[in-house]
Amino acid sequence: MNHNVGGIDRILRIVVGLVLIALAATGTVGWWGWIGVVPLLTGLAGTCPAYKLLGMSTCPMKSPK
């Protein structure tokens, strides 16, 4: 699977995902906080299905050898 999520984007997705999950687990926000699983998984995997559909990528281009 091709990566289409770059460094800063990946870090932000993981952090936001973990924060939302923690808030949901502690009862600070409602059940909707579990949606944090989505950015967490896309950040960990390095690929985003929505980016693929839109033809986007935040991953830097690799130079050909």
Side-chain angles (χ1 to χ4, degrees):
M1 189 176 286
N2 292 334
H3 293 278
N4 61 3
V5 178
I8 293 174
D9 192 6
R10 261 182 118 161
I11 292 168
L12 287 174
R13 286 169 183 263
I14 292 168
V15 169
V16 167
L18 288 173
V19 168
L20 283 173
I21 291 168
L23 290 173
T26 60
T28 305
V29 297
W31 60 269
W32 62 268
W34 290 103
I35 197 73
V37 170
V38 174
L40 177 63
L41 291 177
T42 59
L44 291 174
T47 185
C48 177
Y51 277 9
K52 188 166 182 108
L53 285 173
L54 297 172
M56 294 176 53
S57 178
T58 58
C59 197
M61 299 291 284
K62 294 181 181 178
S63 59
K65 293 185 175 183

